Amino acid sequence: MSHSNDVVVTGIGVVTSLGFTRQAFWKSLVEGVSGVRPISAFDASRHKTRIAAEVRGFEPELWLGPKQVRRMSRVSQFAACAAVEAVRDAGLDLDREDPFRIGCVVGSAAGDYTNLEEQFLRFQEKGPGSVNPLTVPKVIPNMPAANVAIVLGLRGPNLGVATACATGCHALGAAIAILRQGAADVVLAGGAESTVTAFVLDGYSSMGVLSEQNDRYEEASRPFDADRDGFVLGEGAGVLVLETFEHARKRGAEILAYLAGFGMTSDAYNIAIPEPDGTAAAVAMEQAVRSAGLNLEDIGLINTHGTSTQVNDRVESRAVKLAFGDLYSRVPVTSNKSMIGHTLGAAGAIEAAATVLSLHHGIIPPTLNYRTRDPECDLNIVADEAREVRIEAALSNSFGFGGQNAVAAFRRGP
């Protein structure tokens, strides 16, 4: 069997509300642990929504030097720490690698809102000359990718992706292209987000898309459930070490899974509402399956976008049915957002990591809080308890504002 075009996953790094290593993250996912809690980052008492899936107990100094920490925003810290952890997990010795053959594609949908808000208020209060000189270098959205490269000394292709909630998944698609065109041997790919701020919370709340189940916070994120009332804001980062098969083989790396294919489309419909019939999302799924050299019958899991909003879950369900036809009811689906909330630009990468681990371990984590069937979301939902099943191939869906659709297709590793 020829592996000349294969891209493989050899390492995973995560910073999430469920933990900071792939082992801790995976254990909590399988056990159905919720990372949603009352907000601690600021006083949320006046907000309609007062809960989020925050990253708690985060100590970036465990991965980074003190000077590096001071010069980075929280979102860049998330990205850099996840990348360091991913390299460690992959057993990749960077001192033995050509730095110009290692790339980085790490995106963020929003960037550094915390610093932006603080410095804008400072400017308003004190006027010109008061803004911190690190403000712009911290805020601009390519900084998570840039900081990963600086910390690890990666001198190959470096891209910052920003496609709303499809960002983390689009980063994987860009990485495939870089590897397959021969521009790098290894690419660190993923997404990061840190938007649990009063301003961002209020912005989403004003759109009516956040859950207001403040007193039942662990049950607030309810993907596909008939009683869902919105998503829960999350934060964190996910980075995957992607390599050409030959590079991974030569260094004796463990292959966790193959990143076999990718699909992307645009709804070209609305800045915030998905195309109602789900056609473009369905085409993205079909593209991912086809580009992976797979058939629809091969797919044993769809890790859905599954936001827990009325509209998005309904449209994604329609898209799955369009793409899979009569097969749709046989394909297990799950939503990690029921536990980690919606991590926006990081979601596609963190959920891709979970998809890889499902293939690797033969376990599908549950979708929490699925209680009441919605006839418009009648998918084969893995509810409440993890399901053990051998999976040969899986899809990871990510859809974003503006109609951005991205789907990654994975195959089980050797």
Side-chain angles (χ1 to χ4, degrees), residues 25-44:
F25 170 64
W26 180 243
K27 183 175 185 291
S28 292
L29 277 185
V30 171
E31 292 177 356
V33 176
S34 173
V36 181
R37 297 287 184 273
I39 291 171
S40 64
F42 58 91
D43 180 4

Side-chain angles (χ1 to χ4, degrees), residues 3-26:
H3 293 281
S4 60
N5 212 31
D6 283 346
V7 173
V8 298
V9 183
T10 58
I12 290 172
V14 292
V15 173
T16 72
S17 58
L18 299 183
F20 310 135
T21 66
R22 72 148 150 140
Q23 291 81 7
F25 170 64
W26 180 243

Side-chain angles (χ1 to χ4, degrees), residues 380-392:
N380 182 1
I381 297 164
V382 178
D384 292 326
E385 292 186 358
R387 186 182 299 178
E388 291 190 34
V389 58
R390 181 183 173 94
I391 309 161
E392 295 298 332

Side-chain angles (χ1 to χ4, degrees), residues 166 170 262-267 275 280-282 284 398-400 403-407:
H170 269 126
F262 186 76
M264 56 182 172
T265 61
S266 171
D267 286 354
E275 178 191 23
S398 293
F399 309 128
Q404 311 274 24
N405 304 311
V407 180

Side-chain angles (χ1 to χ4, degrees), residues 221-240:
S221 184
R222 312 176 67 86
F224 304 109
D225 185 87
D227 297 325
R228 62 192 183 276
D229 73 326
F231 72 81
V232 174
L233 194 62
E235 63 177 353
V239 174
L240 277 61

